[in-house]
Amino acid sequence: SQKIEQNSEALNIQEGKTATLTCNYTNYSPAYLQWYRQDPGRGPVFLLLIRENEKEKRKERLKVTFDTTLKQSLFHITASQPADSATYLCALEATGTASKLTFGTGTRLQVTL
Amino acid sequence: GAVVSQHPSWVICKSGTSVKIECRSLDFQATTMFWYRQFPKQSLMLMATSNEGSKATYEQGVEKDKFLINHASLTLSTLTVTSAHPEDSSFYICSAEKVTGSQETQYFGPGTRLLVL
């Protein structure tokens, strides 16, 4: 069966460190993989999109890698700040599914001083 | 920009009543909008894909007669929860798809929290 797995345990890191979140998937052929941020009681906010033929994408302090052999994406936040504390969701758009996204359950990141 | 709004942001209703939720793309046109539902500590689950000017496509297990979707313009989709029951209480989130060149990105609304008593 198709699965998207993110670490359900919260990730606690100290301010200034790099946070690394993992998204693993099985039985998918993703055309795109996307990362979103979701704050409590709010809708997700789009952060980055990476295509199947891209290895890495960067945007300011964010970096996403995509390894279709390992079926894994890593999401990095460098120089993390308390304001980065939120739940981060990965989402896949599978090939031929007309833009439909399937979301992982998200990983909660807590950045402390 | 790519701003999507939802209205209302929260609603409490009695069992058996119907509730309408609006989703608007404020600064772009969206041929396609999506409706999701999210239960506490769970991920977003796609309910249906809403296409402007045509019938919505529902995901397996989602009752089309209970969750009525209307996408009458390129900036507005509505979801009506008919004869709501307590088990319909959830966080409903819409997204609007913005197409830029060959890239399609979904931008999400802030969500609507529904509580059915």
Side-chain angles (χ1 to χ4, degrees):
Chain A
S1 62
Q2 294 177 322
K3 281 186 183 179
I4 302 173
E5 294 181 327
Q6 295 184 255
N7 194 341
S8 58
E9 294 182 13
L11 177 63
N12 294 293
I13 65 165
Q14 199 173 19
E15 182 181 23
K17 302 291 187 185
T18 297
T20 299
L21 288 75
T22 305
C23 176
N24 294 298
Y25 60 92
T26 54
N27 295 323
Y28 274 104
S29 296
Y32 304 103
L33 188 145
Q34 304 184 31
W35 283 88
Y36 289 81
R37 168 186 173 137
Q38 186 175 27
D39 291 287
R42 305 292 294 174
V45 174
F46 172 73
L47 296 175
L48 279 170
L49 177 151
I50 188 164
R51 300 168 191 260
E52 60 177 337
N53 60 351
E54 296 177 317
K55 297 291 186 187
E56 182 179 297
K57 204 80 167 281
R58 291 175 186 261
K59 179 183 175 183
E60 298 173 352
R61 294 185 296 112
L62 309 180
K63 184 177 84 169
V64 172
T65 63
F66 194 11
D67 189 326
T68 54
T69 302
L70 291 178
K71 298 186 184 299
Q72 180 182 79
S73 175
L74 299 178
F75 177 77
H76 306 272
I77 306 175
T78 58
S80 58
Q81 305 164 0
D84 295 326
S85 300
T87 295
Y88 291 86
L89 307 169
C90 73
L92 294 181
E93 178 183 335
T95 305
T97 59
S99 306
K100 284 167 49 172
L101 291 178
T102 303
F103 281 84
T105 52
T107 298
R108 174 158 171 71
L109 172 66
Q110 184 70 41
V111 181
T112 54
L113 295 170
Chain B
V3 182
V4 177
S5 70
Q6 275 184 247
H7 179 80
S9 56
W10 60 270
V11 57
I12 302 173
C13 69
K14 292 182 179 179
S15 186
T17 60
S18 294
V19 174
K20 180 187 281 190
I21 303 170
E22 291 186 350
C23 178
R24 294 181 185 271
S25 54
L26 299 183
D27 53 0
F28 66 100
Q29 294 185 327
T31 304
T32 305
M33 292 186 175
F34 300 87
W35 286 96
Y36 295 82
R37 183 167 50 181
Q38 187 176 33
F39 292 105
K41 297 193 184 300
Q42 295 187 25
S43 191
L44 283 77
M45 295 299 294
L46 179 65
M47 297 175 67
T49 302
S50 169
N51 296 295
E52 188 266 338
S54 64
K55 290 184 179 180
T57 304
Y58 291 82
E59 294 300 298
Q60 193 173 9
V62 178
E63 298 175 55
K64 63 179 182 180
D65 294 329
K66 180 163 185 66
F67 299 99
L68 301 178
I69 292 172
N70 186 294
H71 193 159
S73 78
L74 289 173
T75 58
L76 173 64
S77 176
T78 61
L79 169 70
T80 301
V81 183
T82 62
S83 187
H85 291 284
E87 58 266 29
D88 298 322
S89 299
S90 188
F91 191 49
Y92 292 86
I93 310 173
C94 73
S95 71
E97 183 176 76
K98 182 176 181 181
V99 180
T100 306
S102 62
Q103 182 166 315
E104 300 157 344
T105 306
Q106 289 187 35
Y107 291 91
F108 286 79
T112 297
R113 189 161 300 281
L114 170 63
L115 177 61
V116 185
L117 302 176

